[in-house]
Amino acid sequence: TITALASRLHVRQRFVALVLGANQRVAATVAAAQRLGSVRGDLDADALAQSIVLFALGIIAAADLGVPLQVEPTRRVVLQLLRSPRSR
């Protein structure tokens, strides 16, 4: 759990490094998709990347807690929010 991660300094530092690395990789992917016109270009790639990573972490936490998830409807909404008007 997140509490267990936060309680041990070494584990917390490693987790933070993993999240920051994920942010960088997702930001590069977002920027490339923006250049291709498939993701909205009016959004900051770094901020969007962090939002996506944090969204994924929230989904993982919810699933771990047994929260019922509507995966397909949520996927469709997120894609619609991110999609560039040119690619619709």
Side-chain angles (χ1 to χ4, degrees):
T1 67
I2 297 296
T3 304
L5 290 172
S7 67
R8 303 189 77 181
L9 179 61
H10 179 347
V11 175
R12 182 176 64 230
Q13 289 172 334
R14 179 71 180 127
F15 183 77
V16 169
L18 288 170
V19 171
L20 293 176
N23 285 344
Q24 291 174 340
R25 290 187 301 279
V26 173
T29 302
V30 167
Q34 287 175 320
R35 286 190 296 277
L36 293 172
S38 56
V39 170
R40 291 175 49 179
D42 62 329
L43 301 173
D44 178 77
D46 292 326
L48 180 53
Q50 185 175 43
S51 298
I52 292 168
V53 170
L54 294 176
F55 185 69
L57 288 173
I59 290 172
I60 292 167
D64 283 349
L65 292 169
V67 175
L69 302 173
Q70 297 179 356
V71 175
E72 186 55 30
T74 301
R75 183 191 74 81
R76 282 194 306 268
V77 167
V78 169
L79 290 176
Q80 186 176 4
L81 289 170
L82 298 177
R83 191 170 294 129
S84 169
R86 294 188 302 186
S87 67
R88 292 183 186 166

